[in-house]
Amino acid sequence: MAAALAWLAAACLLFAAQVACEYGMVHVISETGSPRGKDYCILYNPQWAHLPHDLSKASLLQLRDWTTSTLCSPSDLPAKGFSNQIPLVTRGNCTFYDKVRLAQGSGAHGLLIVSKETLVPPGGNKTQYEEIGIPVALLSHKDMLDIFKSFGRAVRAALYAPHEPMLDYNMVIIFVMAVGTVALGGYWAGSRDVKKRYMKHKRDDGPEKQEDEAVDVTPVMTCVFVVMCCSMLVLLYYFYDHLVYVIIGIFCLASSTGLYSCLSPLVQRLPFGKCRVCDNSLPYFHKFPQVRMLLLAVFCVAVSVVWGVFRNEDQWAWILQDALGIAFCLYMLKTIRLPTFKDASAQACTLLLLVLFIYDVFFVFITPFLTKSGNSIMVEVATGPADSATHEKLPMVLKVPRLNTSPLALCDRPFSLLGFGDILVPGLLVAYCHRFDVQVQSSRVYFVACTIEGYTSASLGASLS
């Protein structure tokens, strides 16, 4: 009984010791130059002091560079103190409470602690929180250098923490793209079956039969696929900086193939460019492709190469990434399909969904207990490790920049992301339903219901998680 009470007390202490933290902003303007300012990310603890939610209600005070000191003893204070100022001090050598207590005693109206390491919430205890009445926050060293480079040494700053918007318009865009991709991919996959049934009735052995066949998912293929995914995820976790470029190269190749597959039916309808390449011994050209299809292949490769070269241009490269990603997903939904309606079909579908569920639960919810950092392996790989030397991101996501100004957009996640898995797995089911509609000739009722009800709910859940 005593041991149980001890464990309960320890759990309560751990719960009480958790530090509240929120993202905020420091708005900086020059005292001598343009009145136009800039916002920078800060991480603060509202238990010290709350920040106003509106910039107009925040006091614009002189920002004093005191980063030559860690502000751990009274001897570190300037002779005239920090009256009506917000000092910048260096992190380390003492507790956050020691720093903010000295700053408050010398007349400061806030404290910014500059950190070269990962930002952590400035913690304390209940007694210390009650004693302190000024806000304290952490600012990255990189942002401090940018402040003085952009505005000079004579600057003023205001600390505030605007509310997160109730509706992210970027999530609406991602939702429309995802649902549209699944609906179009499912419709395309079912339309192939309609075409095959028509050709079978016509008994036509013409060139239409040369179209590449779909790949049926089997239980063995499912197991091999999941083992490969697990292996690749673990390898990326430990060797991210080396393997990320391999993944980027694979994405460029696969997405250009998908883009070609999506655009080729449209290009084939064009009334020009039907002439074929003349006889030669080159590997691809021995099939005598049409000039328009050759130009389409060059265009698709060029698009993927342009994205690969400029992939880190945040202002516009995400548009190319989304276009290539959607084309890749459509190609996969058209090519890979769940098996036809037999007993083996139910086994394959059940096995696929079961192993993917276990895979997701393990790598998202179990691995935080197995890693030193306490972070999920899947989240760490998907967002890129914080200590990555390359700062590259995996491209297997749809991404849209946040359209609302908020601390979350500035500090943590400037883009909203949706992984390809959240599109492909439900998309296979939608395509399956459309193929079932074709089999029973049900006017696509199952396809529409699955698209609207099933995937809409799943994508909303993935977006909110």
Side-chain angles (χ1 to χ4, degrees):
M1 184 67 178
L5 290 175
W7 279 107
L8 181 60
C12 292
L13 286 174
L14 286 174
F15 179 79
Q18 290 182 346
V19 179
C21 68
E22 294 183 13
Y23 287 116
M25 296 182 181
V26 53
H27 184 76
V28 179
I29 63 171
S30 173
E31 289 186 343
T32 57
S34 170
R36 186 177 181 182
K38 184 178 180 180
D39 289 327
Y40 295 88
C41 171
I42 57 174
L43 186 67
Y44 78 102
N45 183 351
Q47 292 172 301
W48 295 108
H50 288 280
L51 295 179
H53 297 300
D54 193 345
L55 177 59
S56 62
K57 297 180 180 179
S59 301
L60 197 61
L61 305 172
Q62 182 184 3
L63 188 64
R64 184 166 182 178
D65 183 12
W66 204 248
T67 51
T68 54
S69 167
T70 55
L71 197 60
C72 289
S73 66
S75 60
D76 294 332
L77 291 168
K80 296 182 179 179
F82 297 119
S83 180
N84 293 324
Q85 295 176 343
I86 300 176
L88 283 167
V89 300
T90 303
R91 179 182 174 184
N93 296 347
C94 59
T95 65
F96 294 118
Y97 168 71
D98 293 332
K99 297 177 187 293
V100 69
R101 179 176 58 84
L102 289 171
Q104 179 175 272
S106 64
H109 283 211
L111 177 66
L112 287 178
I113 302 172
V114 178
S115 176
K116 293 183 179 180
E117 305 170 5
T118 303
L119 299 186
V120 297
N125 58 46
K126 184 177 180 181
T127 303
Q128 294 170 350
Y129 294 148
E130 292 174 352
E131 181 182 345
I132 301 302
I134 64 173
V136 53
L138 265 72
L139 176 75
S140 72
H141 184 261
K142 180 183 69 174
D143 286 343
M144 183 206 71
L145 295 178
D146 186 75
I147 287 173
F148 293 130
K149 180 181 178 181
S150 303
F151 300 97
R153 293 285 169 176
V155 294
R156 289 186 172 273
L159 305 178
Y160 72 112
H163 289 294
E164 289 294 333
M166 293 296 294
L167 176 64
D168 285 339
Y169 299 106
N170 48 301
M171 294 306 301
V172 175
I173 297 175
I174 280 191
F175 176 77
V176 171
M177 288 195 301
V179 175
T181 301
V182 167
L184 184 58
Y187 181 83
W188 195 359
S191 297
R192 287 166 57 94
D193 281 15
V194 174
K195 188 175 183 179
K196 286 181 181 180
R197 288 168 62 89
Y198 175 79
M199 298 303 296
K200 183 177 180 180
H201 288 307
K202 289 291 185 180
R203 301 185 181 277
D204 189 348
D205 296 328
E208 292 292 343
K209 291 234 173 186
Q210 297 177 2
E211 186 179 2
D212 49 346
E213 295 293 331
V215 178
D216 288 327
V217 176
T218 63
V220 174
M221 184 186 299
T222 299
C223 294
V224 171
F225 171 74
V226 173
V227 169
M228 290 178 59
C229 287
C230 294
S231 303
M232 181 57 69
L233 198 60
V234 173
L235 288 173
L236 278 168
Y237 182 75
Y238 288 104
F239 307 103
Y240 184 88
D241 288 341
H242 303 285
L243 292 178
V244 66
Y245 293 108
V246 177
I247 301 299
I248 290 174
I250 294 173
F251 174 76
C252 288
L253 180 62
S255 61
S256 60
T257 303
L259 188 61
Y260 179 88
S261 176
C262 293
L263 295 180
S264 58
L266 300 177
V267 173
Q268 288 173 352
R269 294 178 178 272
L270 297 177
F272 51 83
K274 296 182 179 180
C275 57
R276 297 183 177 273
V277 176
C278 59
D279 189 11
N280 59 77
S281 59
L282 295 176
Y284 172 74
F285 295 96
H286 71 278
K287 296 182 179 180
F288 309 117
Q290 293 180 344
V291 171
R292 59 186 179 182
M293 304 310 295
L294 181 61
L295 293 177
L296 175 62
V298 172
F299 169 77
C300 294
V301 171
V303 171
S304 65
V305 169
V306 169
W307 174 84
V309 173
F310 299 100
R311 62 186 177 276
N312 294 319
E313 294 288 338
D314 288 341
Q315 291 185 348
W316 57 270
W318 63 271
I319 300 176
L320 286 183
Q321 179 172 326
D322 288 350
L324 291 170
I326 290 173
F328 170 76
C329 290
L330 290 174
Y331 176 70
M332 295 297 290
L333 292 176
K334 182 194 76 168
T335 305
I336 299 177
R337 65 181 185 180
L338 298 177
T340 51
F341 315 99
K342 301 174 183 177
D343 291 339
S345 170
Q347 295 174 4
C349 293
T350 303
L351 180 63
L352 176 64
L353 296 177
L354 179 62
V355 295
L356 288 177
F357 174 75
I358 296 173
Y359 167 82
D360 242 7
V361 169
F362 177 78
F363 281 103
V364 173
F365 300 106
I366 306 299
T367 54
F369 298 101
L370 306 177
T371 58
K372 292 182 179 180
S373 63
N375 295 327
S376 159
I377 287 182
M378 184 174 289
V379 173
E380 188 96 355
V381 170
T383 58
D387 58 350
S388 172
T390 62
H391 302 291
E392 294 283 358
K393 305 294 183 184
L394 292 180
M396 276 65 175
V397 293
L398 298 183
K399 56 189 294 188
V400 176
R402 293 186 178 272
L403 305 178
N404 295 314
T405 302
S406 70
L408 188 61
L410 183 66
C411 303
D412 187 34
R413 295 188 293 272
F415 287 88
S416 292
L417 308 177
L418 184 67
F420 289 171
D422 295 318
I423 298 174
L424 292 176
V425 175
L428 289 174
L429 179 60
V430 172
Y432 185 84
C433 291
H434 191 198
R435 292 172 55 225
F436 181 77
D437 284 328
V438 173
Q439 291 278 347
V440 301
Q441 300 180 352
S442 63
S443 302
R444 301 190 178 95
V445 61
Y446 293 102
F447 165 67
V448 174
C450 185
T451 302
I452 295 176
E453 297 179 13
Y455 184 69
T456 298
S457 301
S459 61
L460 280 175
S463 301
L464 295 174
S465 62

